[in-house]
Amino acid sequence: MPDAPAPHTALSQAAAQIETARGDSAKRPEIAAFFDETTFTVSYVVHDPASSEAAIIDSVLDYEASSGRTSSGSADRVLAYVTSKNLKVAWHIETHAHADHLSAAPYLQEKLGGKLAIGREIVRVQEVFGKIFNAGTRFARDGSQFDHLFADGETFTLGTLTGTALHVPGHTPADMAYVIGDAAFVGDTLFMPDYGTARADFPGGDARQLYRSIRRLLTLPPETRLFLCHDYKAPGREEFVWETTVAEQRATNVHVHDGVSEDDFVDMRTRRDATLSMPNLILPSVQVNMRGGHLPEPEDNGVRYLKIPVNAL
């Protein structure tokens, strides 16, 4: 695993990449968004127009909690798009181990190839939730369920495009943002400016860390396009939207615009998080996503089971 550059070097590297892409349209990716209204999640297909090499970011596997059944309708929309464009999938990228939907990465990887990747701090999430789910010694806590673990500042390629991974913890210890060309896919850090920021009360979350991660992202060039993992329609807004810019966030984000201090943010976030219920699918989602989107191994009757720990969260 490559050594991580210093945090300021990683950010400077990402900023330089963005500036280059802003000056050369050939360095900018084409982006298609797929919104799953059931979980309010946005998945992305990002591709290099020159080579047709693509990454799929934060894919969704449909899950019906009442029956325990999975289905692939959301993922099949992504699959149909990739096939119609004759794209070559190089990466299946997760911004973090999601608590609101199951990942479809293994399903899409089987169909399309490519490497499955997440940030290397996933091992901290595996350790915490491995204990919560009493996953035992058969559950590896070393990130080996993934093909690649990104370090902060690590670069990767998507055809002729350059990508930079940035560690942005706070929502969870393992959250990553991925800058590809002039576009940053920021996962669960920021929402649209009229909705604010992600929660920080999951096991391993930290509101102070989240503030610092967000401010780090907001030092990127003002024109940087930010693509969000969720939208919940702020009061008074009638449409779901998921693209904004650094400049818009700095000017108008209701939780973390320029001038909001770290202490004020932590106080707001802590009080707000105390009023929130856990996501409906947190127990099945994290249980699967900490395994790289794979369901637990079948038991001796051939059936796979998801555990529901009682009074544990």
Side-chain angles (χ1 to χ4, degrees), residues 218-235:
L218 296 185
T219 64
L220 292 171
E223 306 84 8
T224 304
R225 295 185 290 164
L226 302 181
F227 291 88
L228 316 179
C229 190
H230 298 287
D231 186 53
Y232 303 97
K233 280 200 296 193

PDB file of all heavy atoms in Angstrom, residues 218-235:
ATOM      1  N   LEU A 218     -13.595  22.537   1.212  1.00  0.00           N
ATOM      2  CA  LEU A 218     -13.997  23.867   0.751  1.00  0.00           C
ATOM      3  C   LEU A 218     -12.817  24.795   0.491  1.00  0.00           C
ATOM      4  O   LEU A 218     -13.017  25.949   0.111  1.00  0.00           O
ATOM      5  CB  LEU A 218     -14.983  24.499   1.744  1.00  0.00           C
ATOM      6  CG  LEU A 218     -16.318  23.746   1.879  1.00  0.00           C
ATOM      7  CD1 LEU A 218     -17.277  24.506   2.784  1.00  0.00           C
ATOM      8  CD2 LEU A 218     -16.959  23.469   0.527  1.00  0.00           C
ATOM      9  N   THR A 219     -11.595  24.288   0.656  1.00  0.00           N
ATOM     10  CA  THR A 219     -10.431  25.048   0.208  1.00  0.00           C
ATOM     11  C   THR A 219     -10.062  24.704  -1.235  1.00  0.00           C
ATOM     12  O   THR A 219      -9.127  25.317  -1.788  1.00  0.00           O
ATOM     13  CB  THR A 219      -9.204  24.801   1.105  1.00  0.00           C
ATOM     14  OG1 THR A 219      -8.809  23.437   0.999  1.00  0.00           O
ATOM     15  CG2 THR A 219      -9.507  25.150   2.547  1.00  0.00           C
ATOM     16  N   LEU A 220     -10.748  23.741  -1.830  1.00  0.00           N
ATOM     17  CA  LEU A 220     -10.533  23.457  -3.246  1.00  0.00           C
ATOM     18  C   LEU A 220     -10.997  24.651  -4.075  1.00  0.00           C
ATOM     19  O   LEU A 220     -11.749  25.508  -3.570  1.00  0.00           O
ATOM     20  CB  LEU A 220     -11.302  22.194  -3.647  1.00  0.00           C
ATOM     21  CG  LEU A 220     -10.787  20.880  -3.045  1.00  0.00           C
ATOM     22  CD1 LEU A 220     -11.757  19.741  -3.337  1.00  0.00           C
ATOM     23  CD2 LEU A 220      -9.382  20.541  -3.552  1.00  0.00           C
ATOM     24  N   PRO A 221     -10.579  24.760  -5.334  1.00  0.00           N
ATOM     25  CA  PRO A 221     -10.967  25.924  -6.144  1.00  0.00           C
ATOM     26  C   PRO A 221     -12.476  26.157  -6.140  1.00  0.00           C
ATOM     27  O   PRO A 221     -13.257  25.191  -6.142  1.00  0.00           O
ATOM     28  CB  PRO A 221     -10.458  25.550  -7.539  1.00  0.00           C
ATOM     29  CG  PRO A 221      -9.283  24.660  -7.277  1.00  0.00           C
ATOM     30  CD  PRO A 221      -9.655  23.860  -6.055  1.00  0.00           C
ATOM     31  N   PRO A 222     -12.913  27.410  -6.122  1.00  0.00           N
ATOM     32  CA  PRO A 222     -14.344  27.731  -6.004  1.00  0.00           C
ATOM     33  C   PRO A 222     -15.213  27.074  -7.075  1.00  0.00           C
ATOM     34  O   PRO A 222     -16.376  26.742  -6.814  1.00  0.00           O
ATOM     35  CB  PRO A 222     -14.384  29.257  -6.131  1.00  0.00           C
ATOM     36  CG  PRO A 222     -13.020  29.711  -5.749  1.00  0.00           C
ATOM     37  CD  PRO A 222     -12.081  28.634  -6.165  1.00  0.00           C
ATOM     38  N   GLU A 223     -14.667  26.877  -8.278  1.00  0.00           N
ATOM     39  CA  GLU A 223     -15.463  26.329  -9.378  1.00  0.00           C
ATOM     40  C   GLU A 223     -15.581  24.810  -9.319  1.00  0.00           C
ATOM     41  O   GLU A 223     -16.297  24.218 -10.136  1.00  0.00           O
ATOM     42  CB  GLU A 223     -14.822  26.707 -10.722  1.00  0.00           C
ATOM     43  CG  GLU A 223     -14.573  28.198 -10.915  1.00  0.00           C
ATOM     44  CD  GLU A 223     -13.267  28.650 -10.291  1.00  0.00           C
ATOM     45  OE1 GLU A 223     -12.481  27.783  -9.835  1.00  0.00           O
ATOM     46  OE2 GLU A 223     -13.036  29.880 -10.249  1.00  0.00           O
ATOM     47  N   THR A 224     -14.905  24.176  -8.381  1.00  0.00           N
ATOM     48  CA  THR A 224     -14.944  22.720  -8.287  1.00  0.00           C
ATOM     49  C   THR A 224     -16.383  22.221  -8.209  1.00  0.00           C
ATOM     50  O   THR A 224     -17.166  22.672  -7.366  1.00  0.00           O
ATOM     51  CB  THR A 224     -14.180  22.233  -7.045  1.00  0.00           C
ATOM     52  OG1 THR A 224     -12.849  22.741  -7.083  1.00  0.00           O
ATOM     53  CG2 THR A 224     -14.148  20.715  -6.990  1.00  0.00           C
ATOM     54  N   ARG A 225     -16.711  21.298  -9.078  1.00  0.00           N
ATOM     55  CA  ARG A 225     -18.045  20.692  -9.045  1.00  0.00           C
ATOM     56  C   ARG A 225     -18.092  19.640  -7.934  1.00  0.00           C
ATOM     57  O   ARG A 225     -17.229  18.763  -7.866  1.00  0.00           O
ATOM     58  CB  ARG A 225     -18.377  20.040 -10.389  1.00  0.00           C
ATOM     59  CG  ARG A 225     -18.491  21.020 -11.534  1.00  0.00           C
ATOM     60  CD  ARG A 225     -18.932  20.312 -12.812  1.00  0.00           C
ATOM     61  NE  ARG A 225     -17.898  19.435 -13.353  1.00  0.00           N
ATOM     62  CZ  ARG A 225     -18.132  18.492 -14.263  1.00  0.00           C
ATOM     63  NH1 ARG A 225     -19.367  18.269 -14.697  1.00  0.00           N
ATOM     64  NH2 ARG A 225     -17.134  17.755 -14.741  1.00  0.00           N
ATOM     65  N   LEU A 226     -19.095  19.731  -7.065  1.00  0.00           N
ATOM     66  CA  LEU A 226     -19.273  18.785  -5.970  1.00  0.00           C
ATOM     67  C   LEU A 226     -20.493  17.921  -6.250  1.00  0.00           C
ATOM     68  O   LEU A 226     -21.591  18.441  -6.481  1.00  0.00           O
ATOM     69  CB  LEU A 226     -19.452  19.518  -4.644  1.00  0.00           C
ATOM     70  CG  LEU A 226     -18.329  20.472  -4.213  1.00  0.00           C
ATOM     71  CD1 LEU A 226     -18.675  21.092  -2.864  1.00  0.00           C
ATOM     72  CD2 LEU A 226     -16.978  19.764  -4.158  1.00  0.00           C
ATOM     73  N   PHE A 227     -20.286  16.617  -6.213  1.00  0.00           N
ATOM     74  CA  PHE A 227     -21.377  15.668  -6.441  1.00  0.00           C
ATOM     75  C   PHE A 227     -21.640  14.921  -5.138  1.00  0.00           C
ATOM     76  O   PHE A 227     -20.740  14.314  -4.554  1.00  0.00           O
ATOM     77  CB  PHE A 227     -21.011  14.712  -7.575  1.00  0.00           C
ATOM     78  CG  PHE A 227     -20.964  15.389  -8.916  1.00  0.00           C
ATOM     79  CD1 PHE A 227     -19.803  15.996  -9.361  1.00  0.00           C
ATOM     80  CD2 PHE A 227     -22.099  15.439  -9.720  1.00  0.00           C
ATOM     81  CE1 PHE A 227     -19.758  16.637 -10.593  1.00  0.00           C
ATOM     82  CE2 PHE A 227     -22.069  16.081 -10.949  1.00  0.00           C
ATOM     83  CZ  PHE A 227     -20.899  16.685 -11.391  1.00  0.00           C
ATOM     84  N   LEU A 228     -22.901  14.982  -4.687  1.00  0.00           N
ATOM     85  CA  LEU A 228     -23.278  14.511  -3.363  1.00  0.00           C
ATOM     86  C   LEU A 228     -23.850  13.105  -3.435  1.00  0.00           C
ATOM     87  O   LEU A 228     -24.373  12.679  -4.467  1.00  0.00           O
ATOM     88  CB  LEU A 228     -24.306  15.464  -2.759  1.00  0.00           C
ATOM     89  CG  LEU A 228     -24.003  16.963  -2.928  1.00  0.00           C
ATOM     90  CD1 LEU A 228     -25.099  17.795  -2.314  1.00  0.00           C
ATOM     91  CD2 LEU A 228     -22.645  17.314  -2.335  1.00  0.00           C
ATOM     92  N   CYS A 229     -23.787  12.409  -2.314  1.00  0.00           N
ATOM     93  CA  CYS A 229     -24.289  11.028  -2.267  1.00  0.00           C
ATOM     94  C   CYS A 229     -25.776  10.960  -1.958  1.00  0.00           C
ATOM     95  O   CYS A 229     -26.407   9.933  -2.213  1.00  0.00           O
ATOM     96  CB  CYS A 229     -23.496  10.248  -1.222  1.00  0.00           C
ATOM     97  SG  CYS A 229     -23.808   8.469  -1.236  1.00  0.00           S
ATOM     98  N   HIS A 230     -26.336  12.036  -1.411  1.00  0.00           N
ATOM     99  CA  HIS A 230     -27.753  12.026  -1.020  1.00  0.00           C
ATOM    100  C   HIS A 230     -28.402  13.383  -1.252  1.00  0.00           C
ATOM    101  O   HIS A 230     -27.722  14.413  -1.235  1.00  0.00           O
ATOM    102  CB  HIS A 230     -27.910  11.688   0.471  1.00  0.00           C
ATOM    103  CG  HIS A 230     -27.417  10.337   0.852  1.00  0.00           C
ATOM    104  ND1 HIS A 230     -28.082   9.177   0.528  1.00  0.00           N
ATOM    105  CD2 HIS A 230     -26.304   9.970   1.526  1.00  0.00           C
ATOM    106  CE1 HIS A 230     -27.400   8.146   0.999  1.00  0.00           C
ATOM    107  NE2 HIS A 230     -26.318   8.603   1.600  1.00  0.00           N
ATOM    108  N   ASP A 231     -29.721  13.355  -1.420  1.00  0.00           N
ATOM    109  CA  ASP A 231     -30.515  14.578  -1.297  1.00  0.00           C
ATOM    110  C   ASP A 231     -31.869  14.216  -0.706  1.00  0.00           C
ATOM    111  O   ASP A 231     -32.447  13.174  -1.027  1.00  0.00           O
ATOM    112  CB  ASP A 231     -30.715  15.287  -2.639  1.00  0.00           C
ATOM    113  CG  ASP A 231     -31.414  16.633  -2.434  1.00  0.00           C
ATOM    114  OD1 ASP A 231     -30.917  17.426  -1.609  1.00  0.00           O
ATOM    115  OD2 ASP A 231     -32.455  16.878  -3.066  1.00  0.00           O
ATOM    116  N   TYR A 232     -32.339  15.066   0.190  1.00  0.00           N
ATOM    117  CA  TYR A 232     -33.592  14.817   0.900  1.00  0.00           C
ATOM    118  C   TYR A 232     -34.622  15.928   0.669  1.00  0.00           C
ATOM    119  O   TYR A 232     -35.642  15.962   1.345  1.00  0.00           O
ATOM    120  CB  TYR A 232     -33.317  14.679   2.403  1.00  0.00           C
ATOM    121  CG  TYR A 232     -32.330  13.586   2.732  1.00  0.00           C
ATOM    122  CD1 TYR A 232     -30.981  13.873   2.946  1.00  0.00           C
ATOM    123  CD2 TYR A 232     -32.731  12.252   2.808  1.00  0.00           C
ATOM    124  CE1 TYR A 232     -30.072  12.873   3.238  1.00  0.00           C
ATOM    125  CE2 TYR A 232     -31.820  11.246   3.106  1.00  0.00           C
ATOM    126  CZ  TYR A 232     -30.494  11.556   3.317  1.00  0.00           C
ATOM    127  OH  TYR A 232     -29.591  10.561   3.601  1.00  0.00           O
ATOM    128  N   LYS A 233     -34.372  16.809  -0.259  1.00  0.00           N
ATOM    129  CA  LYS A 233     -35.249  17.945  -0.559  1.00  0.00           C
ATOM    130  C   LYS A 233     -35.483  18.806   0.680  1.00  0.00           C
ATOM    131  O   LYS A 233     -36.321  18.503   1.518  1.00  0.00           O
ATOM    132  CB  LYS A 233     -36.594  17.482  -1.142  1.00  0.00           C
ATOM    133  CG  LYS A 233     -36.519  17.143  -2.597  1.00  0.00           C
ATOM    134  CD  LYS A 233     -37.871  17.152  -3.303  1.00  0.00           C
ATOM    135  CE  LYS A 233     -38.823  16.126  -2.807  1.00  0.00           C
ATOM    136  NZ  LYS A 233     -39.983  15.965  -3.719  1.00  0.00           N
ATOM    137  N   ALA A 234     -34.761  19.870   0.758  1.00  0.00           N
ATOM    138  CA  ALA A 234     -34.942  20.808   1.859  1.00  0.00           C
ATOM    139  C   ALA A 234     -36.353  21.389   1.820  1.00  0.00           C
ATOM    140  O   ALA A 234     -36.977  21.448   0.746  1.00  0.00           O
ATOM    141  CB  ALA A 234     -33.918  21.933   1.748  1.00  0.00           C
ATOM    142  N   PRO A 235     -36.888  21.800   2.966  1.00  0.00           N
ATOM    143  CA  PRO A 235     -38.232  22.392   2.983  1.00  0.00           C
ATOM    144  C   PRO A 235     -38.351  23.532   1.981  1.00  0.00           C
ATOM    145  O   PRO A 235     -37.476  24.411   1.918  1.00  0.00           O
ATOM    146  CB  PRO A 235     -38.370  22.897   4.427  1.00  0.00           C
ATOM    147  CG  PRO A 235     -37.452  22.016   5.219  1.00  0.00           C
ATOM    148  CD  PRO A 235     -36.304  21.713   4.312  1.00  0.00           C
TER     149      PRO A 235
END
